[in-house]
Structures are given as C-alpha cells and as structure tokens.
Amino acid sequence: MSFKIAIIGTGSVGFTKKLFTDILCVPEFRDVEFALTDVSEHNLTMIKAILDRIVESNKLPTRVTATTNRRKALEGARYVISCVRVGGLEAYAEDIRIPLKYGIDQCVGDTICAGGILYGQRNIPVILDFCKDIREVAETGAKFLNYANPMAMNTWAAIEYGKVDTIGLCHGVQHGAEQIAEVLGAKNKSELDDICSGINHQTWFVDLRFNGRKIGKDELIAAFEAHPVYSQQEKLRIDVLKRFGVYSTESNGHLSEYLPWYRKRPDEINKWIDMSDWIHGETGGYLRHSTETRNWFETEFQQILDSASQPIDPARRSNEHASHILEALETNRVYRGHFNVKNNGVITNLPADAIIESPGFVDRFGINMVAGLTLPEACAATCISSINVQRMSVHAAISGDIDLLKLAVLHDPLVGAVATPEEVWQMVDEMVVAEARWLPQYAHAVDGAKERLSQGKVKTRDWKGAASRNVRSIEELRAEKAALKQAG
C-alpha cells in the first residue's frame, strides 16, 4: 500500500530514525512516502542522509523527501507526526532559569509548572498553524499524531481549536511497565498485563496482573524497596505509591514537579531525589542534559550513518505507539495501547473536556477507548488540579490574555506551594519579556510587562551552587553556540 506520512520537527534525529525504522518494520508499509520538514535545513540534510541509507541498504521502494516548506511536506499526507520544540534550548533555558529565581525548582519543566505552561504558550500557536495546513492541504480526514510536549495542552488545542483528528502519544506508560515487570522478576514484558489511566505524566497503574495474578499495593512496594537500584532512584515515586496505593508512570524527577509537596523547600528536595542521573530529580537536570548533548548527532553522525546500513529487524521494533497505530488503522491488525484523547466520559471522575491518557484499542475503525474507568480518589484529585491549570493555559495561549496566563501559573500546584501571587505576577512578566520572540499572541502585553519589571517590586531569591550552574541563560547558550561554530 502507498500513502504519505509527514514528520514535523525531524531535526530530532534519533527519534525520527526510530519512528522511520519502526514504520518500515510493517511489511505493507515499504512503499510509503515520508515527507520530512524542519526549520533547520542542516538537520534536515543530516536526517535525510540517514534515512536514505536505510532505504538503499534494505533495497526498499520507500521515498524520502525533505523540505523547510512545511505546507509542501503536508500536501496529501494521510498521517502527520509532530516532534517539535518551539524556541529550542534558548527558550527552554528561560523556562527553568527564571522560575528558579522565585524558588520554583524544576527538574524538567515541560508539562505543567511554570516552565511547562510557558512552553505551551510557545507551542500552541504553532500547533494551530500545523492544524490549519492539515485541514487545507493534507488528505481528507488526516490524523495528527502529536509527540510534542506539553502533551495535554498541545493535544487539547489541536482538538478543540485546530479541529483536526488528533492523538497524543507518549512512552511513559511503557517505561513504567518495564520497571514493574523488572521488580516482579518477569523474564519478558508479556508476563505483565497493566491498565494505566489518568492524564499525561500523571498516569496511574490502576490494575496489574503478573502471569494472571493480581498484584496489590503491598507486594509492589516490597518489590520496589528490594530492588538495589530503583529503591534509591525512585524514593519519591515509592512514597507516592505508599500513600496513593498505585504506582505512577512518571520518573522520580518528573513526578516531583507535578505535586506540591516534594520540591517546595530546598532542604527537603535532597531527601527525595537521586543524583545518579538527571531524570531522578536534579534541578534543571533535563536542561543540563539537553545542553550538553545537543550536538551529539553532529559528533556521532558518521557512526549513525554507518549503523543505518544494517538490515531492518522487525524483532527490534520499538514500543513507540506510532507505527503500531498506523499498522492497526491500515491493516486491521488490532493494537492495544495508551493514548491521549479528549475524555468525554472515558474516565468517570475526570472532566469531560480534559485530555486523558488511558487504554484503547485501534483497528480500521479508529481508536476505541476503554470506557467507564474510575481513578482512585487521590489520583483523580491530583489530575484535576493539573487539568484546571491546563485548561486555563490553553485558553490563555489562544486569547493572548496575560492575566489569564498569570492565573494559570498561580494555580499550578508546585508554584502555588512556593510563590506568592505578587511573585507569580512578576515572574510571568519576566518570562513573557524574555521569550517574547516566540510569543506573538502576547506582543501587545510586552511593553506593559517591561514597565512593571522596571519598578522591581519583588526581590528574587539568590540560588547558589549546582542548581544555578545547571541553568544557563540565553546569552550563555548563544555564546557557547558561537564558540562551537567558530571551532568548526
């Protein structure tokens, strides 16, 4: 069969390569066309060379095109996959650096919290541009598969305002299930049957069966506490398991910034995080990791290109949802996964308009969600706090209402546990000014924000040591980039 898949943000070289090879593991998909698009022509050239090598080495009829003209890439596409990060590391640095001045300590900052909310403000106008192009030039009824964070906000905007058939995809559930299978002693993942439900990055394993036997809270706690690695790396996650009775999909560091209890005091943070890797809670950890490794595909390009000569091995197909969804839709081979969609009653104790992440089945009729799930009350309460923030954030991004944006940030659980309303108002002004070039909907509000900042009513906090060293400014990142370019 032949159809077109457009991938936006293909400068994410490693992830694009994974999606591409996964899709080509489906025998019926060898004749499809992949249209790559990105704002970076340099990155496009690199990823196209890698994908062309895969096609040539495997003697496939697959066609690969690359263009910075997004609309051209989307022409006639049946599926559109988004992997974009609007503003790149320059804007992301401000998402982490500025809130830290006000005592808001984030490990990742890409879902909610102050950083995730501003990330959504940058992404949503661009997502709506994607949707406009999809409606106008893609194949009628084209599906939009969104991998970009903030997942729930982007998906919410695409469905409610973009009017495009959108599915949000994440791999948090798969990673959490792999951990659970490991601590329970599974020889392979198929021994574990899991039902996970909630919202993206706050999804909960509400039912676990190991070789058909139901696994309860106490057995799972004992298994994690006995594990020599996870018992140290996932201390916060295990604490939430003890109190809520169910395990969260999200990593120790990520989960810590969605809740108001663990990162609100500097002296408390070290009790819960583990510094063996950034993902376990390091302040600004993902920014540091991303900054240090942002040119990995440049330095390792030849190695990646050489590895692209290897035969495609269907046995090594990843558990990323995209290829499995496309296979189910096109071949009617049923696929079960966890998907981000509008709730509409699927989870009984979450709002109908929320974007949930929950189990569903895919076949030629589309995605069919498992309905009638009810979350434990503590899980629902935690999710609803974030949903309310997401809703306000989406509406602020659409309207360009800076006051609504400030209210969304104020209602974020961690922000509200740390900062006063006056601090939040000044912090948001500072972030909007710093990120103005990526926030066209707030152009009318920038001068007013600058004027308020010039009065300097709120004194920011002085964060010393490793935390501040991890969080570099736009100016420092630009200087590093210029130095690297000059060095060749």
Side-chain angles (χ1 to χ4, degrees):
M1 56 182 65
S2 180
F3 54 88
K4 184 176 181 180
I5 302 168
I7 306 179
I8 309 174
T10 47
S12 176
V13 174
F15 193 64
T16 300
K17 179 175 179 281
K18 179 190 289 188
L19 292 179
F20 182 80
T21 53
D22 280 352
I23 291 169
L24 291 182
C25 284
V26 181
E28 291 90 343
F29 291 173
R30 300 297 176 93
D31 196 33
V32 302
E33 176 186 351
F34 288 84
L36 315 179
T37 186
D38 194 273
V39 295
S40 169
E41 190 163 355
H42 175 63
N43 288 14
L44 270 177
T45 300
M46 295 179 71
I47 186 60
K48 186 176 187 303
I50 292 168
L51 303 192
D52 282 342
R53 178 70 62 87
I54 293 171
V55 170
E56 292 163 8
S57 299
N58 287 273
K59 296 180 173 58
L60 299 173
T62 311
R63 298 173 303 289
V64 180
T65 62
T67 177
T68 55
N69 184 333
R70 184 184 68 235
R71 196 171 174 91
K72 182 177 179 181
L74 268 57
E75 284 179 1
R78 184 174 299 175
Y79 301 101
V80 179
I81 303 174
S82 172
C83 315
V84 299
R85 173 179 281 283
V86 178
L89 286 177
E90 287 189 56
Y92 180 37
E94 304 295 39
D95 289 343
I96 306 301
R97 183 183 67 84
I98 294 173
L100 190 60
K101 292 167 56 179
Y102 295 84
I104 299 159
D105 184 305
Q106 302 167 102
C107 173
V108 182
D110 71 351
T111 299
I112 57 166
C113 208
I117 293 169
L118 265 293
Y119 188 20
Q121 304 307 296
R122 299 195 303 274
N123 271 264
I124 286 172
V126 175
I127 291 287
L128 295 186
D129 285 344
F130 297 171
C131 290
K132 179 176 182 293
D133 286 347
I134 292 169
R135 293 194 311 268
E136 292 179 356
V137 302
E139 185 177 292
T140 302
K143 291 190 182 297
F144 183 33
L145 282 64
N146 175 61
Y147 268 108
N149 284 318
M151 174 60 64
M153 294 184 209
N154 287 346
T155 305
W156 196 319
I159 293 171
E160 184 170 328
Y161 293 98
K163 306 301 181 184
V164 168
D165 186 0
T166 304
I167 311 153
L169 303 177
C170 184
H171 38 237
V173 175
Q174 297 97 302
H175 291 174
E178 287 165 0
Q179 277 192 335
I180 293 170
E182 182 178 337
V183 300
L184 293 176
K187 294 177 181 177
N188 58 71
K189 170 60 176 66
S190 64
E191 295 180 72
L192 181 71
D193 182 20
D194 56 274
I195 296 177
C196 201
S197 193
I199 64 173
N200 183 241
H201 291 176
Q202 290 176 47
T203 324
W204 310 89
F205 288 96
V206 294
D207 190 276
L208 293 168
R209 309 291 171 107
F210 182 55
N211 290 323
R213 181 174 61 83
K214 189 172 177 62
I215 302 298
K217 167 188 170 183
D218 292 341
E219 183 176 354
L220 194 58
I221 291 170
F224 270 101
E225 291 189 325
H227 195 279
V229 176
Y230 297 148
S231 60
Q232 299 304 307
Q233 292 180 340
E234 306 286 6
K235 294 188 287 287
L236 182 150
R237 212 169 173 186
I238 294 169
D239 190 66
V240 172
L241 167 61
K242 290 177 178 177
R243 299 180 193 280
F244 282 38
V246 289
Y247 196 59
S248 166
T249 54
E250 219 42 53
S251 67
N252 203 71
H254 237 353
L255 182 61
S256 71
E257 61 191 358
Y258 306 146
L259 305 172
W261 313 302
Y262 297 98
R263 298 189 77 94
K264 65 182 180 179
R265 294 200 299 266
D267 59 323
E268 280 287 307
I269 293 173
N270 288 337
K271 281 175 53 178
W272 298 109
I273 70 173
D274 179 271
M275 294 296 288
S276 62
D277 196 5
W278 69 265
I279 200 169
H280 308 306
E282 174 189 342
T283 298
Y286 189 50
L287 175 62
R288 177 188 63 78
H289 171 77
S290 300
T291 302
E292 292 174 354
T293 61
R294 68 186 182 278
N295 292 317
W296 67 269
F297 54 87
E298 300 268 7
T299 56
E300 300 173 25
F301 175 70
Q302 191 58 50
Q303 180 183 342
I304 300 168
L305 189 62
D306 292 343
S307 70
S309 299
Q310 298 173 358
I312 292 173
D313 181 4
R316 299 182 65 183
R317 183 179 178 185
S318 83
N319 59 9
E320 292 292 346
H321 292 302
S323 69
H324 301 279
I325 291 173
L326 269 58
E327 179 181 12
L329 291 169
E330 295 292 336
T331 72
N332 205 34
R333 291 194 282 270
V334 178
Y335 173 62
R336 172 182 165 185
H338 291 81
F339 314 118
N340 287 267
V341 298
K342 191 171 282 290
N343 185 21
N344 289 330
V346 170
I347 300 177
T348 62
N349 51 347
L350 292 186
D353 63 338
I355 299 300
I356 58 164
E357 187 168 71
S358 205
F361 295 83
V362 191
D363 60 15
R364 68 185 180 88
F365 295 105
I367 293 182
N368 312 283
M369 301 298 290
V370 177
L373 296 176
T374 301
L375 294 178
E377 287 190 67
C379 299
T382 297
C383 288
I384 288 170
S385 295
S386 291
I387 290 166
N388 290 334
V389 172
Q390 291 164 356
R391 183 187 296 108
M392 280 192 284
S393 299
V394 171
H395 293 165
I398 296 296
S399 65
D401 184 340
I402 195 169
D403 292 326
L404 183 58
L405 173 60
K406 290 173 179 177
L407 286 167
V409 176
L410 181 69
H411 281 84
D412 176 84
L414 181 57
V415 172
V418 173
T420 68
E422 193 173 19
E423 288 171 330
V424 171
W425 257 239
Q426 181 171 303
M427 178 183 69
V428 173
D429 277 343
E430 190 172 349
M431 295 179 82
V432 167
V433 169
E435 301 181 17
R437 63 192 265 210
W438 301 288
L439 298 171
Q441 73 272 49
Y442 294 105
H444 66 282
V446 171
D447 287 344
K450 287 179 179 178
E451 175 62 26
R452 290 187 292 272
L453 289 170
S454 70
Q455 299 170 14
K457 291 183 178 179
V458 177
K459 185 178 179 181
T460 57
R461 307 175 196 190
D462 187 16
W463 283 67
K464 300 292 187 183
S468 60
R469 286 198 301 273
N470 285 350
V471 184
R472 284 171 269 185
S473 68
I474 281 181
E475 290 73 23
E476 290 171 306
L477 285 168
R478 283 176 179 161
E480 283 181 31
K481 186 175 181 180
L484 284 168
K485 186 175 181 180
Q486 187 173 8

